[in-house]
Amino acid sequence: MYFLNFLVSTTCFFLLLFAVHLFFAKKGNKTNNILLSLLFFARFGQILTSLIITSNQQQALSILFQFFTPLYFAAPACLYLYVTGFLTDRKGLHKNDWLHFIPGLLAIIHVIPWPGTEVLNWQIIAKQLAENGYLSLFAKSGLFPSYFHNLGRTILILVYLFLCWRAISKSKIRTQTSTENPGKDWIFFLLGVATLFQLMGMLPIILRTFSIPFYHSSFISLNCIVLLGILSYAIHKPKMFYGYLLVAIDWDKKTVATPVLLDQEIASTQPTITPKKSFPSLKKNNLSPELLLQYTNLIKRIMEDEQIYLKQDLQIIDLATKLNIPVHHCSYVLNNEIGKNFRDWINSYRIEYFLKQYPILGGKITIEAVAQESGFKNLATFYNAFKKEKGVLPTDYFARNNS
C-alpha cells in the first residue's frame, strides 16, 4: 500500500505540475498549451480518483467523480484539437471547434444532482469502479442511463483517436524529417503515449471478457510506472521536456553572451561583410509573366500582413510551404522580381519594423531586446544587417534623422 501511495503521489505531482504550468504559460501557442493542460489535469483526476476508490472514501469519491467526469468526456476532444492545432499552427479555436465540447457539456448535465432524481449508491459505484475500471461502470452515476458513461466514453475515445491519426496521416509532417520540422518527434510521441494509455484503459474490459482476474490496485500501479517511465524518457529529450511539457525555452533561439558595447565598438569588432551580388537564378523556369506577378504579390502580401519575418529562424522553405509554391520558384521571384536574396529581403523588413518600434520601446527596453523582437537572433547580426541596409549604424542613423 505504501508503494502504491508513493507511485500515485509522485505521478499526481508531475501531472498537476504540467497542467498548472501549461495553463498559465506565456510562451508558445496559448490555445494548445491550455488544451494540453486539460489533458494532464484529466489524467491527474483519474489517478487521484482511483486512489480514493482503493481507500474506500465514498464521500470524497462522490465529489471527485462528479467534478472530473465532464473533463473525462472533454479530454478526447482536447487531444484532437491539440493535434490539429499543432499541425496547422492554429492560434485559437474556430466556432465549429467548440462543438467538440458537447459531450463535456452533456456530462455536466449528467452529474448535476437535479431535484427529484434518485439518490446515487456510491457504495456500488465504488465497488464497480474498483473491480472493473472506469469504462465498465454499469451502476447509475447521474441523470442519464449507465451506458452514457461506459459506452459513451469508449466511443469518444476510439473515434477521436482515429481522427487524430487520420489528421497526422493527411498532414505534411508525416513525410518531413525531424530537421525540417522539429515538432514531428513531439507530436508522434504525444499521440503515441495518449493512444497507449487510452487503450490501457480498455484493458479491464478485455480481461473481464476472457474471465481473467483484474486487480484495480495493480492496474493503477502499472499506469503510474508506465507514465513515470515515459516521463523519464522525455526528460532525456530536452527539446520535448522543456519545449512542450515545460514551455520555458525557445530552442530555435541561440543565446549569445554579448558584452554591452557602443555601436562603433561593435562595428570595429565585427569583420566587414562584403555584400554578395545577387545573380539571377540560372535554373530554367516555365513561369508565365502573369504567374510571376501573382507570386510576387503573394510573397509581399504574406510578409506585410502576417509579419512572418519576426520569426527568428524563418527559412525560405517556410515561406514556400506557407504559400504552397516550390522553393526554387520562390527563390527565383526574390532574386529576379524583387531583386534581393532571401536573407537580405527579410532583414529589410526587420529593419523597418525596428525603426517603428525603437522610438516607442527604446526608453523601456534595451536596443538588443527591440532587435530580437524584430526577428534578429543577436545584436551582432542586427548591426551588420542595419549597416548593410541603411549604410550607417543605428546611432548615426538616429542622430542624422534627429538633426
Side-chain angles (χ1 to χ4, degrees):
M1 181 61 70
Y2 290 112
F3 178 69
L4 176 62
N5 290 338
F6 170 76
L7 276 179
V8 172
S9 300
T10 305
T11 307
C12 286
F13 168 75
F14 281 110
L15 288 171
L16 188 60
L17 170 67
F18 295 143
V20 174
H21 174 82
L22 286 167
F23 191 86
F24 294 102
K26 295 182 180 179
K27 292 188 177 181
N29 188 312
K30 182 68 175 177
T31 302
N32 283 352
N33 288 344
I34 293 176
L35 290 170
L36 189 57
S37 73
L38 293 176
L39 285 173
F40 283 123
F41 195 60
R43 178 59 61 174
F44 160 79
Q46 190 169 0
I47 294 177
L48 182 61
T49 306
S50 299
L51 180 62
I52 296 300
I53 293 172
T54 57
S55 303
N56 293 321
Q57 299 181 22
Q58 293 181 15
Q59 185 176 1
L61 171 63
S62 64
I63 297 172
L64 289 177
F65 183 86
Q66 291 175 320
F67 178 80
F68 282 105
T69 292
L71 195 54
Y72 300 153
F73 278 80
C78 289
L79 176 64
Y80 172 72
L81 292 174
Y82 179 88
V83 170
T84 55
F86 190 92
L87 295 174
T88 59
D89 196 26
R90 183 182 58 226
K91 302 301 181 185
L93 295 180
H94 304 305
K95 290 181 180 180
N96 293 338
D97 293 333
W98 291 99
L99 297 176
H100 292 284
F101 293 103
I102 290 178
L105 180 61
L106 292 175
I108 294 176
I109 299 173
H110 174 68
V111 299
I112 292 177
W114 297 97
T117 55
E118 62 179 289
V119 179
L120 301 178
N121 191 330
W122 289 104
Q123 186 174 0
I124 295 179
I125 292 175
K127 182 181 179 181
Q128 290 189 1
L129 289 175
E131 291 177 353
N132 302 316
Y134 272 87
L135 299 180
S136 302
L137 179 62
F138 293 98
K140 189 173 179 60
S141 59
L143 180 66
F144 303 129
S146 59
Y147 58 77
F148 172 79
H149 188 277
N150 51 57
L151 185 60
R153 278 201 64 206
T154 305
I155 292 175
L156 281 176
I157 289 171
L158 294 176
V159 168
Y160 276 105
L161 279 179
F162 169 76
L163 292 176
C164 287
W165 284 109
R166 190 183 70 167
I168 289 285
S169 65
K170 287 186 175 182
S171 69
K172 296 180 180 178
I173 198 172
R174 183 175 55 87
T175 58
Q176 293 174 333
T177 63
S178 298
T179 305
E180 294 174 338
N181 193 335
K184 178 180 180 179
D185 292 339
W186 161 249
I187 199 64
F188 273 95
F189 170 78
L190 174 68
L191 192 51
V193 170
T195 303
L196 171 65
F197 279 103
Q198 298 288 17
L199 295 180
M200 281 181 64
M202 298 179 186
L203 184 60
I205 301 176
I206 300 173
L207 294 177
R208 191 180 71 250
T209 302
F210 292 96
S211 301
I212 301 175
F214 170 76
Y215 301 100
H216 192 68
S217 58
S218 302
F219 184 68
I220 299 173
S221 301
L222 177 63
N223 267 269
C224 293
I225 291 172
V226 172
L227 187 58
L228 291 175
I230 292 172
L231 177 61
S232 301
Y233 170 79
I235 291 175
H236 289 82
K237 299 286 184 179
K239 286 192 177 183
M240 284 187 186
F241 188 75
Y242 291 104
Y244 300 101
L245 293 176
L246 292 178
V247 186
I249 295 176
D250 183 2
W251 287 93
D252 295 323
K253 174 181 171 183
K254 296 179 181 178
T255 305
V256 181
T258 308
V260 179
L261 301 173
L262 298 176
D263 292 354
Q264 289 81 0
E265 291 175 323
I266 290 180
S268 63
T269 59
Q270 297 298 322
T272 303
I273 298 178
T274 305
K276 295 181 180 180
K277 294 182 180 179
S278 298
F279 295 98
S281 174
L282 298 177
K283 190 171 183 176
K284 268 191 171 184
N285 74 87
N286 299 318
L287 300 177
S288 64
E290 292 79 14
L291 193 54
L292 278 174
L293 179 61
Q294 182 182 351
Y295 280 174
T296 304
N297 292 335
L298 279 174
I299 289 174
K300 289 181 178 179
R301 189 183 308 140
I302 196 172
M303 193 63 67
E304 293 166 3
D305 294 348
E306 298 190 19
Q307 295 183 320
I308 59 175
Y309 53 85
L310 298 179
K311 185 178 179 182
Q312 293 182 351
D313 59 340
L314 182 67
Q315 302 293 330
I316 192 170
I317 191 173
D318 301 323
L319 177 63
T321 302
K322 203 166 186 66
L323 293 172
N324 197 24
I325 65 176
V327 175
H328 64 275
H329 284 177
C330 191
S331 177
Y332 182 89
V333 170
L334 289 173
N335 288 329
N336 295 274
E337 300 299 314
I338 296 178
K340 286 187 176 181
N341 62 44
F342 176 76
R343 189 58 48 194
D344 290 344
W345 181 61
I346 62 170
N347 281 344
S348 66
Y349 279 95
R350 290 168 175 169
I351 295 296
E352 293 304 319
Y353 184 88
F354 170 85
L355 292 176
K356 293 177 182 177
Q357 296 298 315
Y358 186 71
I360 302 172
L361 303 175
K364 302 176 184 178
I365 58 179
T366 64
I367 189 173
E368 182 177 9
V370 181
Q372 288 181 346
E373 285 191 5
S374 304
F376 292 98
K377 289 188 175 180
N378 54 60
L379 199 57
T381 304
F382 162 70
Y383 273 103
N384 282 327
F386 194 99
K387 189 172 183 180
K388 187 174 184 180
E389 181 70 16
K390 299 298 181 181
V392 293
L393 293 170
T395 300
D396 297 332
Y397 179 87
F398 287 118
R400 183 179 65 187
N401 281 272
N402 289 337
S403 63

